[in-house]
Amino acid sequence: QQQVKQSPQSLIVQKGGISIINCAYENTAFDYFPWYQQFPGKGPALLIAIRPDVSEKKEGRFTISFNKSAKQFSLHIMDSQPGDSATYFCAASPYSGGSNYKLTFGKGTLLTVNP
Amino acid sequence: DVKVTQSSRYLVKRTGEKVFLECVQDMDHENMFWYRQDPGLGLRLIYFSYDVKMKEKGDIPEGYSVSREKKERFSLILESASTNQTSMYLCASRTGWGTEAFFGQGTRLTVV
């Protein structure tokens, strides 16, 4: 059972355009929703994260939009640059303690920004 | 600067060998994870540990085991390597709920 569904699998955007990646989840216990960015040959690194008490979070050119009732969240990259070309993963984590600190990841989106 | 260090970047092993992948973190994190990354499949959780000597199976534990004798070190063991275990292996650690997970650089394992 895939708990976090991510789309599209790949995305090509022109420089200056808007990149949009979507994720949907099923587990209502999820309470923390990060996005990770991975460049070739590197491990993933946290880009931006949101908790469901807010509907939007913005950090520079990166924005997460969150829709709790639809159980969906998305990453928007404004003014996309060639340096943003990377693989992006959405993830989700439940709020309870104990052994529930694991992150469940989507399958990833390969973003290519053409100059 | 926080760090998760994986002992090898590239590893080539023969079918049937016992393989150890080592991961060390210097952030005093309670939680450590092993993921496997394959094209089109994303990051899949193999095992995680929420305390020393404590472990829990992830989504794809078959063919793997783990060891955590010290807080900073989490080892992934392939008991008898098979070609379908050729993959990128990523170690991560985090302190708790709602916190950033830090990843190592990954170990690209090839089983021949």
Side-chain angles (χ1 to χ4, degrees):
Chain A
Q1 180 190 7
Q2 186 187 352
Q3 294 197 59
V4 180
K5 294 184 180 180
Q6 182 172 348
S7 62
Q9 192 171 357
S10 62
L11 181 62
I12 300 174
V13 174
Q14 291 299 118
K15 179 182 175 182
I18 302 173
S19 304
I20 302 174
I21 305 170
N22 300 298
C23 281
Y25 64 97
E26 299 164 0
N27 188 347
T28 55
F30 287 153
D31 204 34
Y32 171 70
F33 303 90
W35 285 89
Y36 281 77
Q37 180 188 55
Q38 184 181 32
F39 293 105
K42 302 287 188 181
L46 180 67
L47 184 63
I48 187 172
I50 197 168
R51 293 174 190 172
D53 51 343
V54 296
S55 60
E56 186 174 283
K57 182 174 181 180
K58 184 175 181 179
E59 289 184 2
R61 296 183 294 109
F62 301 91
T63 300
I64 299 179
S65 297
F66 185 81
N67 186 330
K68 189 173 182 178
S69 60
K71 292 189 284 186
Q72 295 175 346
F73 58 110
S74 60
L75 176 69
H76 295 234
I77 306 175
M78 310 301 288
D79 187 26
S80 299
Q81 299 296 312
D84 297 331
S85 297
T87 300
Y88 292 81
F89 293 96
C90 62
S93 176
Y95 55 80
S96 58
S99 63
N100 285 325
Y101 291 126
K102 62 180 181 179
L103 279 167
T104 299
F105 285 85
K107 292 189 175 183
T109 296
L110 178 62
L111 172 66
T112 303
V113 181
N114 289 328
Chain B
D1 208 14
V2 297
K3 222 172 223 180
V4 177
T5 303
Q6 295 183 230
S7 54
S8 305
R9 290 294 303 273
Y10 301 95
L11 215 49
V12 180
K13 295 292 182 180
R14 295 196 180 278
T15 301
E17 274 193 81
K18 190 169 186 176
V19 181
F20 293 85
L21 302 183
E22 307 287 345
C23 175
V24 177
Q25 51 98 359
D26 65 358
M27 296 164 282
D28 201 35
H29 286 168
E30 294 83 4
N31 304 282
M32 296 188 73
F33 309 84
W34 276 105
Y35 287 91
R36 171 176 171 163
Q37 182 175 13
D38 299 288
L41 297 179
L43 300 170
R44 294 180 292 168
L45 182 64
I46 304 171
Y47 266 99
F48 68 102
S49 169
Y50 51 93
D51 201 352
V52 174
K53 296 188 188 282
M54 305 303 288
K55 62 186 179 184
E56 195 163 315
K57 292 180 180 179
D59 300 317
I60 52 164
E62 295 78 20
Y64 303 95
S65 62
V66 290
S67 172
R68 192 164 180 205
E69 297 295 320
K70 293 185 178 182
K71 190 176 186 179
E72 67 270 20
R73 187 180 297 271
F74 191 36
S75 303
L76 180 69
I77 304 158
L78 285 67
E79 297 291 342
S80 177
S82 64
T83 55
N84 62 12
Q85 293 178 309
T86 292
S87 186
M88 171 69 83
Y89 290 88
L90 289 161
C91 175
S93 72
R94 68 192 298 214
T95 190
W97 168 76
T99 62
E100 178 176 358
F102 294 88
F103 282 84
Q105 295 270 62
T107 296
R108 185 164 293 282
L109 172 67
T110 302
V111 182
V112 297

